[in-house]
């Protein structure tokens, strides 16, 4: 037996759990943050509008505009016969120097202004992206839980066969710290001569930790051979 088999098993399982926590955690956290930002923008805009008055303004310039940035709108507007110049809190692709827009100013401080007409779109964008990120993280976690339940069921009720390892490859769809998990391909020849090919899920082992000449246990659904679980742990060491 490979002398560090237990160490390799523990390390591989630890990496697998870490990957799930990190992947799901990042997506769900980013999604929640974006949703919170969207809510905050909506609440802030609503609160500001309640204490503000609308007025017409003309865009004087788009300060800092470039091929990569819309720039910051500089507007001129009049309140109670007095002219003011201010920079707005946001810009949109429809803005350009000379365009007239509606802005909102605080009744007790005319210099405090905001452009709120596009806030609805901004809130929707934050909400949509936040929902997508949260959904991806949650869906990935649910899929992993489903795979774990399936594996436990097959380990308990499946027919065990010893399959010959035919290949060990990297699952490039997943990555952590520049490393990819491995997937094991194997083949089993039944007593009646029929040949079955299996492929494992992702396992966080190094390829050299898998004994290529060692057979790997496969747990097969007795009623549906297409439903199986390749126990890569059994080939470690």
């Amino acid at each position: 037996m490979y002398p560090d088999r237990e160490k390799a098993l523990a390390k591989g399982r630890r990496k697998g759990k870490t990957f799930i926590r990190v992947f799901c955690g990042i997506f769900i956290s980013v999604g929640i943050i974006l949703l919170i930002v969207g809510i905050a923008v909506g609440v802030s805009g609503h609160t500001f509008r309640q204490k503000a008055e609308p007025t017409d303004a003309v865009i004087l310039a788009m300060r800092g505009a470039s091929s990569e940035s819309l720039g910051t709108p500089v507007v001129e507007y009049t309140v109670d016969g007095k002219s003011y110049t201010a920079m707005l809190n946001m810009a949109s692709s429809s803005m350009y120097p000379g365009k007239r827009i509606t802005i909102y100013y605080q009744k007790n401080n005319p210099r405090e202004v905001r452009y709120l007409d596009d806030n609805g779109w901004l809130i929707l964008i934050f909400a949509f992206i936040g929902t997508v990120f949260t959904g991806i993280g949650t869906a990935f976690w649910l899929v992993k839980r489903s795979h774990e339940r399936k594996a436990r069921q097959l380990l308990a009720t499946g027919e065990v066969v010893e399959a010959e390892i035919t290949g060990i490859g990297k699952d490039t769809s997943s990555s952590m710290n520049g490393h990819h998990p491995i997937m094991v391909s194997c083949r089993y020849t039944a007593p009646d001569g029929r040949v079955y090919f299996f492929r494992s899920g992702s396992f966080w082992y190094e390829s050299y930790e898998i004994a290529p000449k060692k057979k790997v246990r496969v747990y097969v659904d007795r009623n549906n051979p297409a439903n199986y679980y390749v126990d890569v742990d059994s080939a470690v060491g």
Side-chain angles (χ1 to χ4, degrees):
M1 178 180 290
Y2 186 69
D4 290 330
R5 170 178 163 78
E6 294 304 322
K7 182 178 178 181
L9 287 171
K11 183 182 67 174
R13 291 166 184 166
R14 185 170 60 252
K15 282 186 176 181
K17 291 178 180 179
T18 299
F19 175 76
I20 294 173
R21 285 198 298 267
V22 171
F23 183 91
C24 296
I26 288 175
F27 272 86
I28 293 175
S29 297
V30 170
I32 291 174
I33 289 171
L34 289 173
L35 288 172
I36 291 173
V37 170
I39 293 171
V41 170
V43 171
S44 175
H46 178 71
T47 302
F48 188 92
R49 191 189 293 262
Q50 284 185 322
K51 300 178 181 179
E53 291 287 346
T55 186
D56 288 336
V58 60
I59 299 175
L60 299 178
M62 299 296 290
R63 184 171 296 175
S66 66
S67 59
E68 299 178 353
S69 173
L70 295 174
T72 302
V74 179
V75 298
E76 184 179 52
Y77 57 100
T78 302
V79 176
D80 296 332
K82 184 176 180 179
S83 295
Y84 296 89
T85 301
M87 289 191 295
L88 298 183
N89 58 308
M90 62 178 295
S92 71
S93 58
S94 63
M95 290 181 174
Y96 55 86
K99 182 176 181 178
R100 302 195 70 85
I101 59 175
T102 298
I103 63 173
Y104 292 81
Y105 66 91
Q106 290 291 291
K107 299 174 186 178
N108 60 348
N109 183 10
R111 294 185 180 280
E112 188 176 351
V113 296
R114 290 189 187 182
Y115 179 71
L116 300 175
D117 288 0
D118 276 355
N119 266 13
W121 288 106
L122 187 63
I123 294 167
L124 286 176
I125 290 172
F126 277 117
F128 174 75
I129 298 176
T131 301
V132 168
F133 270 73
T134 304
I136 290 174
T138 302
F140 185 84
W141 182 78
L142 291 173
V143 168
K144 284 296 183 181
R145 288 293 300 272
S146 176
H147 287 172
E148 289 172 0
R149 286 195 298 269
K150 171 187 171 182
R152 286 195 298 268
Q153 183 177 5
L154 287 170
L155 284 168
T157 63
E159 179 183 358
V160 185
V161 299
E162 298 284 336
E164 175 188 357
I165 296 176
T166 58
I168 303 171
K170 292 183 178 180
D171 178 9
T172 55
S173 65
S174 300
S175 177
M176 183 171 62
N177 296 328
H179 296 283
H180 302 287
I182 65 167
M183 302 178 74
V184 173
S185 301
C186 53
R187 176 179 59 206
Y188 169 70
T189 303
D192 60 7
R194 284 186 292 183
V195 179
Y196 296 88
F197 294 92
F198 306 105
R199 190 174 186 181
S200 76
S202 299
F203 285 79
W204 288 91
Y205 296 122
E206 302 293 343
S207 57
Y208 64 80
E209 293 174 328
I210 304 299
K213 294 183 180 180
K214 188 175 182 179
K215 291 195 174 181
V216 59
R217 285 194 296 268
V218 182
Y219 294 79
V220 184
D221 188 330
R222 300 174 190 275
N223 300 315
N224 179 17
N227 183 28
Y228 61 86
Y229 172 72
V230 179
D231 182 16
V232 174
D233 290 356
S234 65
V236 173

